[in-house]
């Protein structure tokens, strides 16, 4: 198993995915069953009965308790066994692990490591996803590749020119240099690319209605290990924010990815696109949802291929890194540090 950073928060689901039906998802190699209590709180337990390892997600709820569908062992929301068929005595070891969970900004976050270290205040924010001043489309795609490949992909957006041409990629993305900054104290990586005069890709032309060339800003903010934010600004060429920071003539799109390892070689790729324009226009929402999912699936296909290539390469193979890789290399270093600690 890969050396995951376990004492960290990871997105396990969208809040809309978890209800009164038992819901299974694997995070960092740990099978987990999620459900909402009758009062609406999210609960997360190890998805394996202590008796004969039957998945609790294949069982049933009785109030806030899970009754194992194989032999009837019954667990409360803390994971303690409260009933054993055929006997009154409950073995002292009859319990399954429970996991701290927090529901925030439309996500369900779970903590896999030492529960005494689980601080909800440490969860990074994506407030646009629950902000009435933004309209959001979102989804999740499974990735048959290690999560580090998706981190690399998202921190080097030059690939948009080649992999996503016709959707979000234009020549200027690859041609424009980036700036990279690392906040070592907070463990945050910033990568920026500002294009003063760029072709307007279909993704933005059809959603904003801008005709002609644009000023396009891409400001990445990566909070290892899980949350990636892309602050996108689009405006006609020459239209810049006001000196006081207000920006009434720009279009703003907040692209959010939650990058959650499923196993050593598979990843949950959560994505969301929040916009501050055309808030009530369902046509724009449908267009952005369809097109962003297409872009995500293009990444998924490329990274699935890359995972297979890496699996067959000789030990000690050395890849080449250049200027566009500075953000990704910083992320690798921080992820390794988090895993080691």
């Amino acid at each position: 198993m890969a050396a995951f950073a376990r004492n960290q928060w990871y997105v396990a689901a969208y809040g809309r995915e978890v209800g009164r039906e038992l819901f299974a998802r694997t995070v960092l190699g740990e099978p987990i069953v999620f459900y909402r209590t009758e009062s609406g709180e999210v609960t997360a337990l190890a998805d394996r009965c202590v008796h004969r390892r039957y998945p609790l997600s294949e069982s049933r709820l009785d109030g806030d308790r899970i009754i194992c569908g194989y032999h009837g062992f019954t667990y409360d929301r803390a994971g303690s066994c409260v009933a054993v068929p055929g006997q009154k005595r409950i073995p002292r070891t009859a319990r399954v692990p429970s996991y701290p969970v927090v529901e925030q900004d439309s996500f369900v976050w779970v903590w896999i490591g030492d529960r005494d270290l689980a601080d909800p205040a440490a969860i990074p924010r994506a407030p646009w996803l629950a902000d009435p001043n933004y309209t959001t489309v979102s989804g999740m795609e499974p990735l048959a590749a290690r999560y580090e490949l998706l981190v690399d992909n998202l921190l080097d957006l030059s690939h948009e020119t080649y992999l996503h041409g016709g959707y979000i990629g234009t020549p200027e993305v690859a041609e424009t240099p980036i700036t990279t900054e690392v906040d070592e104290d907070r463990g945050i990586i910033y990568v920026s690319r500002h294009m003063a005069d760029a072709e307007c890709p279909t993704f933005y032309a059809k959603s904003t209605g801008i005709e002609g060339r644009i000023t396009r800003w891409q400001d990445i903010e990566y909070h290892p290990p899980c949350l990636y934010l892309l602050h996108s600004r689009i405006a006609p060429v020459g239209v810049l924010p006001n000196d006081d920071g207000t920006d009434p003539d720009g279009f703003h799109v907040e692209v959010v990815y939650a990058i959650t390892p499923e196993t050593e070689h598979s990843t949950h790729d959560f994505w969301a696109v929040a916009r501050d324009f055309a808030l009530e226009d369902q046509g724009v929402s449908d267009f952005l949802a369809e097109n962003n999912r297409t872009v995500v699936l293009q990444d998924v296909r490329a990274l699935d291929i890359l995972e297979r290539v890496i699996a067959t390469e000789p030990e000690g193979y050395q890849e080449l890194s250049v200027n566009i890789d500075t953000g990704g290399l910083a992320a690798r270093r921080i992820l390794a540090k988090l895993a080691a600690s």
Side-chain angles (χ1 to χ4, degrees), residues 9 45 134 181 187 254 265 301:
W9 291 99
L45 302 177
Y134 284 79
E181 297 181 13
E254 301 291 345
H265 298 289
R301 180 178 183 276

Side-chain angles (χ1 to χ4, degrees), residues 10 34 41 50 65 78 83 86 98 101 105 136 159 166 170 175 182 197 219 240 255 259 261-262 278 283:
Y10 291 91
F34 296 87
E41 296 180 44
V50 73
R65 296 174 171 181
S98 64
V101 289
D105 300 332
T136 300
H159 78 274
T170 67
E175 293 168 359
V182 180
D197 186 348
D219 294 305
L240 299 175
V255 182
I259 308 164
E262 179 186 42

Side-chain angles (χ1 to χ4, degrees), residues 172-226:
E172 296 81 9
V173 180
E175 293 168 359
T176 303
I178 61 170
T179 62
T180 303
E181 297 181 13
V182 180
D183 186 330
E184 297 288 353
D185 293 335
R186 300 173 63 203
I188 303 174
I189 300 165
Y190 301 92
V191 180
S192 293
R193 177 184 277 109
H194 286 191
M195 294 157 272
D197 186 348
E199 177 185 336
C200 187
T202 303
F203 189 82
Y204 291 125
K206 288 193 175 182
S207 59
T208 67
I210 294 178
E211 298 180 357
R213 297 178 69 82
I214 59 172
T215 294
R216 182 180 181 185
W217 292 0
Q218 296 175 323
D219 294 305
I220 296 168
E221 182 181 334
Y222 175 48
H223 299 252
C226 189

Side-chain angles (χ1 to χ4, degrees), residues 102-232:
V102 172
E103 193 166 4
Q104 178 174 282
D105 300 332
S106 83
F107 289 133
V108 173
W109 294 82
V110 65
W111 180 274
I112 300 296
D114 183 345
R115 65 181 303 121
D116 291 337
L117 300 177
D119 178 8
I123 300 174
R125 299 301 305 268
W128 315 277
L129 305 188
D131 187 336
N133 294 312
Y134 284 79
T135 296
T136 300
V137 296
S138 59
M140 193 279 279
E141 298 298 331
L143 182 65
R146 64 198 70 189
Y147 81 106
E148 296 95 335
L149 295 181
L150 183 55
V151 174
D152 269 356
N153 170 278
L154 294 172
L155 283 169
D156 173 18
L157 295 181
S158 67
H159 78 274
E160 288 183 350
T161 299
Y162 308 100
L163 192 60
H164 305 311
Y167 291 91
I168 59 174
T170 67
E172 296 81 9
V173 180
E175 293 168 359
T176 303
I178 61 170
T179 62
T180 303
E181 297 181 13
V182 180
D183 186 330
E184 297 288 353
D185 293 335
R186 300 173 63 203
I188 303 174
I189 300 165
Y190 301 92
V191 180
S192 293
R193 177 184 277 109
H194 286 191
M195 294 157 272
D197 186 348
E199 177 185 336
C200 187
T202 303
F203 189 82
Y204 291 125
K206 288 193 175 182
S207 59
T208 67
I210 294 178
E211 298 180 357
R213 297 178 69 82
I214 59 172
T215 294
R216 182 180 181 185
W217 292 0
Q218 296 175 323
D219 294 305
I220 296 168
E221 182 181 334
Y222 175 48
H223 299 252
C226 189
L227 193 68
Y228 169 98
L229 310 174
L230 171 60
H231 312 293
S232 293

Side-chain angles (χ1 to χ4, degrees), residues 8 18 54 134 147 153 160 191 201 228 246 278 289 291 295 299 310 313 327 339:
Q8 299 289 326
V18 182
Y54 193 74
Y134 284 79
Y147 81 106
N153 170 278
E160 288 183 350
V191 180
Y228 169 98
T246 58
N291 277 258
V295 167
D299 282 335
I310 293 172
E313 69 187 14

